[in-house]
Amino acid sequence: MDALMLTQNQLLATKFHVPVTLGRLISRPRLTALLNESLNRPFTLVSAPAGFGKTTLLSTWSQSLLPNHPRVAWVSLEEEDNDPRQFWTYVLTALKMQQPNRFTEVLMQLQSPQPLPIKYILAALINLLADGTDDFLLILDDYQMITEQEIHTILAYLIEHLPPQLHIILATRADPPLPLPLLRASQQALEVRTDQLRCTVEETRTFFEKVIGIQLPAETIQEVATRTEGWLVGLQLLGLSLPEHASSLTLLERASGDQRYILDYLTQEVLQRQSQEVQAFLLSTSILERLSASLCDAIMEQSGSQQMLEQLEQANLFVTALDSKCQWYRYHALFAEALSYRLEQRHADRLSSLHHRASLWYAEHDQTTQAIVHAFKAQQWNWAADLLERESLHLTSLTWGAGQRALVMLKKWIEQLPEEVMHARPALCLACTQLLWTVAHHTKLDGWLDAAEASLSALLLTQTHEDASVPTLAPQVWQERANRLGEVITFRAVVRSHEEDAQVALPLCQQALALLSPDNLAARAFVAWAQLRALYASPTNNAVAAIESGLQSGSLAQAAGKTALTIGAIGATVMYMIGAGRLHEVQQLTQQARQLGTQPGGLVSPDVCWPAIWQAEVLREWNKLDAALELVEEAISLSSQTTTIVSIGYSLFGYVVLMRIALSRGELGRASSALQEFEHIKMHMNQPLALHYHSLFTTVDQVRLWFACGERDRALRWAEELDLGAQHRAPFAREREEVAYARVRLATQQPVLALERLELVLQRARAGQRWGHVIEIRLLQARAHQMCHEISQALEALSEAVRLAEPEGFIRSFVEEGAPMAALLYSLREEQRKAGATPYLDTLLAAFSQKSQMQEHRLKQAAGHTTSQPHLDPLSERELEVLQLLVEGASNQEIAQALVIARDTVKRHVSHIFSKLGVQNRIQAERQARELRLLDEIH
């Protein structure tokens, strides 16, 4: 059976069926007319709380449409559909069911072992639809179950680019995070909301007359409509509770109260009217999201569940069949809530055994996730640990098959396990450490590693004589025990290498290597990975040795046949290689890693996002900003699909590089958003790792962003806190803080203070042979000497930076320093031209001009008075538009109206323009803009 057919068989067929409503319905022509209008809009939102008849309305309306005009594709969503790949598999399958041959290829692309990014697959879908003449209507029911942001983002992309051949309707209990204001403004969306779905007084009267079969006075109907607020399910439940000859007084009495009252009423009046056998079945099976005869038999420890389920459906007791063969059912959500509440209140002592039986059934049927969930609810800790150990077997090659959502769920599960259960299982302790080392608290990690090491050490000692020199068992058995202990110590080294005192990882690495067998290549690759980090960022300060360890890690992983681990090791190595200034090697290695992750036929492993992120950073440094932006956005998209134990780090690094690229492009809003994403991801990480990544990547860039956005006071407060002793204890982190601090002092015209802080960090960077950082520091020293009118010292520092940068093609490191640096480079070029051509300096100076039009004579003029020149970042296209209107004398309100943006947005743009030009008011801004000929570039 091919992969596509296998996937189709795993999908729940009933999720594609338009629900069939049993019983009599009232006619609601006003809503039918509203939905008919939806066929003239690309997107329709049906949003209201539970029980307002969204599904019933859509199902009856869609079935009233002419056959295949349009073709209706229906998907009923559930919580597990938050996996992006599964979500879009259901969507594409629903479309495929309407035209089987047309969408097969797109679906196969999504279901391939190494799929393209989903956005690309949807682009193919859009083109496919646009090429045809058939119209399709996609209805996504219960969309409130979707909480995964990636799905919202990609759905928004689909809606934005919808061809006229496709209409989408979302039915949901809460507004989704989609760009609804923009869709409203462009008249692309139709919205059907609670007020429209409420039953009117006339519809309420019709309901009681036609469905319930009773005539009531007009004032009673009015009162019932008011008390129920037009809640359709409330009316249905109320009608169900009425005796055969109900009076108006009885109806009003029973209509009093809120939704909680109706839930209680369900329990008292519906449940208690059933036989004891039915009540027992309903309560016991209420712990299940879905019901099948076999599962219910296991829960009840009896047979006959299929007959019971059919009986409940026939009696309309809030049970819905999920497939045409009546093999799976579910309870109405409100009814299930009432049943669960009753079970917890009256039979709490039965909960554990019920959940345990459910867990055993799910485990027997290879549904491990549900088995684990019910094992924890049953508080069957050892059984839950057994199930978790089954899943941990996938950790041997860095992958587990779980993304960030699954890690959060797993973390929640594991934290419930009693310590005595965890500590008795060294394999589970190691697996949990490996899997959760980025998100679990460091004390938890230490506890698991301590327990695993103590248990395995004791076990290893029992394998030897008293002199601990001669194994009592076969050598291979002793080596197996030693390998397990070595792997525990290896991962302790990995964890320690990312903490402040990273150097302590080095002796742990040697201890691990003494235990690991020569053929345990994967574990040895992790040892080399830990050495990479420890040698680079600890007091050892040896970039050459660190990078050599990183390269060795990749070679060992590749020899072990672990592709994901190989790509991860290369990504970690080139990250530090950039700091060492070895850009061409980074480009070569990242390209090799991307090729390693590309399968025949062009299928790409999501793990290639890691090297691609750093390839984008090199492209940024080489001033290839468009290519860098495209690559990093693709990498970020791929990072959300990764299932490695460091996938959260991949996303983190992606936003770091995106922030840098946006800064280089002058797109401050995008840069700020990227920093916010970085901070959001960092919140889910444990504190030592979060501090490590922040100091390593964003300390300097955050200060640069503050000044670019005009947040001068924020940068000054940060520098003051640093002066008060808030420095990081890790040597490399302190170095980055000193560089950031020097930038603050340069921006506040305090060059002497900047020079004082830069000298020691320059010595350390040189000693570690981190030439990329040496270039950065020497450029800052050049600017500081320039401010002090020490031109010879400034040119000396700049000359060294140029000498180091030229072989690797550095560009943005110079350009980011603005007009003062351009003036210095011009002076250096004039001096060096006496000895011959200066192609590299020519390239650097050409990169400084905004949109390639800064004139050389202005640089020559700037060379004489750059000590007072502000740092000049390029203006974005929107800022140039605002600047043009500002110079023409338009007010903020007039600019807002002309550009169709908010007034506060105009104020923010003006603030950014003033900051970039180094001015305080409009008159100064106009003068500076004309001097730099920025107004010439707007047309």
Side-chain angles (χ1 to χ4, degrees), residues 774-776 778-779 794-810 814 821 824-825 828-829 832 838-842 844:
V774 171
I775 293 169
E776 175 190 24
R778 290 300 271 163
L779 290 177
L795 291 177
E796 179 185 355
L798 178 59
S799 181
E800 182 183 1
V802 168
R803 177 177 58 81
L804 293 170
E806 183 173 3
E808 299 293 338
F810 282 78
F814 294 84
M821 181 57 61
L824 275 178
L825 282 167
L828 181 64
R829 186 179 68 172
Q832 293 190 0
T838 57
Y840 181 56
L841 290 174
D842 295 343
L844 289 177

Side-chain angles (χ1 to χ4, degrees), residues 114-239:
Q114 303 295 341
L116 292 171
I118 294 174
K119 188 174 180 181
Y120 292 174
I121 294 174
L122 288 189
L125 171 66
I126 292 168
N127 294 333
L128 183 65
L129 289 165
D131 288 338
T133 58
D134 290 320
D135 288 341
F136 293 84
L137 173 62
L138 173 62
I139 300 178
L140 301 178
D141 195 22
D142 285 333
Y143 191 77
Q144 76 278 353
M145 305 303 295
I146 302 302
T147 58
E148 177 58 50
Q149 182 57 45
E150 181 186 349
I151 295 177
H152 301 316
T153 301
I154 299 178
L155 180 61
Y157 168 84
L158 177 60
I159 294 171
E160 181 183 355
H161 298 88
L162 273 181
Q165 291 86 348
L166 178 62
H167 309 271
I168 295 178
I169 297 180
L170 295 191
T172 178
R173 295 181 183 179
D175 281 5
L178 298 173
L180 296 176
L182 292 177
L183 293 170
R184 292 189 195 109
S186 60
Q187 297 185 340
Q188 297 297 299
L190 175 69
E191 296 178 68
V192 181
R193 296 193 169 274
T194 304
D195 286 344
Q196 295 156 308
L197 291 171
R198 294 186 196 279
C199 289
T200 63
V201 173
E202 181 60 25
E203 288 169 343
T204 302
R205 180 190 63 78
T206 302
F207 172 81
F208 281 104
E209 287 182 359
K210 302 295 185 182
V211 178
I212 306 302
I214 59 175
Q215 297 273 352
L216 296 169
E219 59 272 18
T220 303
I221 293 296
Q222 179 67 57
E223 182 67 17
V224 169
T226 300
R227 292 189 184 186
T228 61
E229 299 184 20
W231 186 42
L232 182 58
V233 166
L235 292 177
Q236 293 171 339
L237 297 178
L238 187 59

Side-chain angles (χ1 to χ4, degrees), residues 646-657:
V646 288
S647 60
I648 191 170
Y650 292 173
S651 298
L652 192 87
F653 300 134
Y655 285 109
V656 168
V657 174

Side-chain angles (χ1 to χ4, degrees), residues 13 102 177 319 389 450 474 672 816:
R102 189 171 182 188
V319 177
E389 283 187 328
D450 289 345
S672 298
E816 307 292 354

Side-chain angles (χ1 to χ4, degrees), residues 337-379:
E337 182 181 341
L339 292 173
S340 297
Y341 180 80
R342 175 78 170 190
L343 179 64
E344 292 173 8
Q345 294 297 313
R346 300 294 180 90
H347 307 287
D349 57 320
R350 295 171 52 192
L351 282 170
S352 178
S353 59
L354 291 172
H355 282 295
H356 188 205
R357 294 171 202 159
S359 179
L360 292 171
W361 187 92
Y362 280 118
E364 183 181 350
H365 291 78
D366 296 323
Q367 299 184 41
T368 309
T369 300
Q370 285 296 323
I372 292 173
V373 168
H374 285 282
F376 275 104
K377 288 181 177 179
Q379 298 186 351

Side-chain angles (χ1 to χ4, degrees), residues 868-873 875 911-921 924-925 928 932:
S868 60
Q869 279 278 21
H871 179 100
L872 178 60
D873 282 332
L875 272 62
S911 175
H912 293 167
I913 291 169
F914 286 179
S915 175
K916 289 183 177 183
L917 297 180
V919 300
Q920 301 295 323
N921 54 49
Q924 294 174 354
Q928 183 77 334
L932 297 176

Side-chain angles (χ1 to χ4, degrees), residues 580-851:
R582 294 157 63 169
L583 302 187
H584 290 300
E585 277 187 83
V586 171
Q587 177 72 356
Q588 180 183 3
L589 283 171
T590 53
Q591 192 60 32
Q592 290 175 3
R594 294 181 68 189
Q595 291 173 355
L596 187 64
T598 303
Q599 305 297 321
L603 297 176
V604 177
S605 166
D607 296 313
V608 303
C609 69
W610 182 218
I613 286 166
W614 302 118
Q615 192 173 32
E617 169 64 2
V618 171
L619 291 174
R620 183 198 69 83
E621 183 59 53
W622 288 345
N623 207 30
K624 299 177 181 179
L625 300 183
D626 290 342
L629 179 62
E630 182 179 355
L631 183 57
V632 81
E633 287 182 336
E634 178 186 345
I636 290 173
S637 176
L638 283 173
S639 71
S640 64
Q641 302 174 40
T642 58
T643 57
T644 73
I645 61 176
V646 288
S647 60
I648 191 170
Y650 292 173
S651 298
L652 192 87
F653 300 134
Y655 285 109
V656 168
V657 174
L658 176 59
M659 176 178 63
R660 292 175 178 174
I661 294 170
L663 270 173
S664 295
R665 293 168 63 91
E667 298 171 351
L668 301 184
R670 176 178 277 178
S672 298
S673 297
L675 180 60
Q676 289 174 4
E677 289 291 343
F678 173 91
E679 296 294 340
H680 175 72
I681 296 171
K682 197 178 70 172
M683 289 172 56
H684 297 289
M685 309 179 82
N686 59 52
Q687 188 177 24
L689 197 61
L691 290 174
H692 163 63
Y693 287 145
H694 177 76
S695 64
L696 189 60
F697 298 112
T698 55
T699 302
V700 174
D701 294 316
Q702 183 174 261
V703 167
R704 291 180 56 230
L705 180 59
W706 284 338
F707 278 111
C709 293
E711 298 181 70
R712 176 190 178 97
D713 292 342
R714 194 171 179 183
L716 289 175
R717 285 196 302 272
W718 176 85
E720 290 169 1
E721 292 174 1
L722 203 67
D723 276 335
L724 293 174
Q727 294 97 337
H728 206 287
R729 290 193 297 124
F732 182 77
R734 285 203 305 272
E735 179 183 312
R736 303 312 297 156
E737 287 174 342
E738 292 296 289
V739 171
Y741 182 90
R743 285 191 174 277
V744 174
R745 293 310 170 202
L746 286 175
T748 55
Q749 303 296 312
Q750 296 174 290
V752 175
L753 290 177
L755 288 169
E756 290 175 359
R757 305 300 276 260
L758 288 172
E759 186 56 38
L760 287 178
V761 295
L762 175 62
Q763 294 175 15
R764 189 173 188 279
R766 277 178 173 160
Q769 301 185 63
R770 291 181 283 104
W771 304 117
H773 293 135
V774 171
I775 293 169
E776 175 190 24
I777 295 165
R778 290 300 271 163
L779 290 177
L780 294 179
Q781 288 179 322
R783 284 189 57 202
H785 285 301
Q786 180 188 39
M787 288 182 181
C788 295
H789 304 282
E790 299 168 348
I791 303 303
S792 61
Q793 292 96 321
L795 291 177
E796 179 185 355
L798 178 59
S799 181
E800 182 183 1
V802 168
R803 177 177 58 81
L804 293 170
E806 183 173 3
E808 299 293 338
F810 282 78
I811 294 178
R812 289 309 306 185
S813 291
F814 294 84
V815 175
E816 307 292 354
E817 302 307 323
M821 181 57 61
L824 275 178
L825 282 167
Y826 179 83
S827 298
L828 181 64
R829 186 179 68 172
E830 291 300 297
E831 180 180 298
Q832 293 190 0
R833 269 185 173 176
K834 298 173 184 177
T838 57
Y840 181 56
L841 290 174
D842 295 343
T843 299
L844 289 177
L845 285 168
F848 270 87
S849 62
Q850 187 161 18
K851 295 187 178 179

